[in-house]
Amino acid sequence: MTRPFNFSAGPAAMPLEVLQQAAAEMTDWHGSGMGVMEMSHRGKEFISIYEQAEADVRELLAVPANFKILFMQGGGLAENAIVPLNLSRGGKVDVVVTGSWSEKSYKEAAKYCTPHLAATGADTRFTTLPAAAQWQLSGDAQYVHICTNETIHGVEFHSLPDLQTLGCDAPLVIDFSSHVLSRSVDWSKVGVAFGGAQKNIGPAGVTLVIVREDLLGHALPICPSAFNYKTVADNGSMYNTPPTYSIYMAGLTFQWLKRQGGVAAMEQRNIAKAKLLYDFLDSSSFYSNQVAHDCRSRMNVPFFLADESRNDAFLAGAKAAGLLQLKGHKSVGGMRASIYNAMPIEGVEALIAYMRDFETRLA
Ligand SMILES: *Cc1c(COP(=O)(O)O)cnc(C)c1O
């Protein structure tokens, strides 16, 4: 079976093998007589699915033992409230705004605490990352928030800031929604990492939260119990009914990732895919990407046609060529190719072949 290549930013393409396995197990999981959607979250069948998924993601991301892995609901945007509810103690927090997603985090935090804009990439329209050495950290912040891959602007941190060398003891909070499992994470620099599943893990509905144990137990009294990291952790993510089917699908993706050689192998593939596409864009006068070279996202590649009046024709031709969902986000315009883990290099090659062909036909 072959399918079109799907460049959606999210919910995004999933590995065909994973979808086929889910289809095969839809009505009867492992001879249990039940589909996964129909199982009690407290039964031994689902508990085994859950424990395997948790162990696999811990292994894939090399998560140290002093971090809890939580499967929550609400997506990345809910975490913009859940993080300050759990970590801010109602005080000051530092936010580095590098695009639309961290901008939302900054605004939402103001409902629960006092966010301080430590740095912003707005002056370059979010095509660069402000250097960490220039951040105006407040010194008494409860945490520092960054979005490590800005899905809309296509800007990615290729290394995490070392807050301690910047004289800051606050924990670093990272929104890694759109590049989780595409690369390794240096946990020595992280306090909390969160990400919605629908970009690089599985279907929407589950949020992966990885939190250092010493950060549990400081939630504001108004924090909803279902969003209190300590409550969720103490109950193995089953304080309330977790999104069981999404967790199962995430688990299938984790198994697929292990068969691919794990995160290190996937990272090499992602580097190769991104290089192919950026090299092509840089060699072209018909297409362009405007993000600074040192912070270009390996996952989300916004690009523009020199003649924007051709955008609709480009998208229609792409669809006919089996290249789906390339329209850019409305706030940036142009095109965007999201090339997450599930996108094979053949998809990037097919995109480039189409882009060359489209340009030639106009010449
Ligand atoms: C998609 C995305 C979100 C929002 O996720 P929701 O599940 O819609 O809440 C947050 N942050 C980043 C970086 C994203 O890419």
Side-chain angles (χ1 to χ4, degrees):
M1 181 184 180
T2 59
R3 298 196 302 161
F5 294 112
N6 179 354
F7 295 89
S8 172
M14 292 180 55
L16 181 58
E17 273 176 51
V18 167
L19 296 175
Q20 287 174 330
Q21 186 178 347
E25 296 177 345
M26 174 68 75
T27 60
D28 182 6
W29 183 81
H30 295 201
S32 66
M34 305 177 275
V36 175
M37 282 181 250
E38 306 168 301
M39 290 174 183
S40 165
H41 57 299
R42 304 198 190 278
K44 71 173 179 2
E45 294 87 356
F46 185 74
I47 296 282
S48 75
I49 291 171
Y50 180 90
E51 286 177 347
Q52 187 70 48
E54 183 187 345
D56 285 342
V57 74
R58 189 178 285 280
E59 179 186 329
L60 283 163
L61 281 174
V63 179
N66 65 324
F67 283 75
K68 296 284 190 200
I69 296 177
L70 314 178
F71 291 91
M72 298 181 68
Q73 301 187 53
L77 285 184
E79 291 299 321
N80 285 341
I82 294 169
V83 168
L85 279 164
N86 279 277
L87 262 52
S88 75
R89 306 183 198 210
K92 195 185 284 180
V93 306
D94 285 342
V95 183
V96 177
V97 173
T98 54
S100 303
W101 292 112
S102 44
E103 174 112 72
K104 284 190 173 30
S105 306
Y106 175 67
K107 289 187 178 145
E108 184 76 4
K111 294 183 182 172
Y112 307 102
C113 58
T114 310
H116 163 70
L117 184 65
T120 173
D123 48 342
T124 64
R125 288 179 298 115
F126 302 121
T127 59
T128 61
L129 283 180
Q134 259 85 62
W135 296 355
Q136 306 289 312
L137 299 171
S138 22
D140 55 349
Q142 298 297 324
Y143 62 85
V144 178
H145 175 109
I146 63 173
C147 174
T148 45
N149 186 63
E150 287 280 359
T151 322
I152 292 175
H153 291 88
V155 176
E156 181 171 10
F157 281 84
H158 290 296
S159 63
L160 294 177
D162 187 343
L163 295 183
Q164 247 152 25
T165 65
L166 300 171
C168 171
D169 290 328
L172 181 68
V173 174
I174 64 171
D175 174 356
F176 66 173
S177 296
S178 51
H179 71 167
V180 56
L181 292 164
S182 73
R183 60 189 306 149
S184 60
V185 175
D186 179 353
W187 293 104
S188 73
K189 295 177 179 161
V190 174
V192 175
F194 69 81
Q198 70 269 26
K199 315 288 166 62
N200 223 354
I201 294 181
V206 61
T207 318
L208 179 66
V209 180
I210 303 180
V211 49
R212 215 173 59 207
E213 276 168 354
D214 61 287
L215 300 173
L216 299 171
H218 306 295
L220 295 174
I222 58 159
C223 179
S225 304
F227 290 158
N228 184 318
Y229 289 152
K230 181 164 172 26
T231 306
V232 178
D234 287 349
N235 289 279
S237 299
M238 299 207 193
Y239 169 76
N240 60 337
T241 310
T244 52
Y245 199 75
S246 297
I247 292 170
Y248 158 74
M249 293 295 288
L252 295 185
T253 304
F254 300 153
Q255 290 274 320
W256 174 83
L257 268 170
K258 286 171 69 173
R259 293 196 298 276
Q260 304 300 306
V263 169
M266 199 47 78
E267 179 163 6
Q268 291 311 311
R269 284 162 64 168
N270 289 326
I271 289 170
K273 279 153 44 185
K275 181 174 187 325
L276 197 62
L277 186 49
Y278 285 116
D279 283 353
F280 170 71
L281 290 167
D282 289 343
S283 72
S284 164
S285 51
F286 192 83
Y287 303 100
S288 66
N289 166 277
Q290 301 180 349
V291 177
H293 286 236
D294 63 351
C295 58
R296 285 173 161 183
S297 171
R298 294 176 186 158
M299 298 282 103
N300 310 99
V301 184
F303 65 91
F304 299 91
L305 277 58
D307 178 358
E308 296 235 89
S309 73
R310 307 281 184 187
N311 283 359
D312 289 344
F314 179 89
L315 288 167
K319 191 171 176 198
L323 306 165
L324 307 181
Q325 306 203 72
L326 282 161
K327 192 175 166 61
H329 190 273
K330 61 182 183 306
S331 65
V332 172
M335 308 297 154
R336 174 173 47 168
S338 293
I339 49 175
Y340 298 120
N341 285 347
M343 176 63 66
I345 194 145
E346 291 77 16
V348 177
E349 289 165 353
L351 173 62
I352 293 171
Y354 167 72
M355 289 168 72
R356 281 191 210 283
D357 182 55
F358 183 80
E359 178 177 355
T360 313
R361 272 187 280 137
L362 289 181

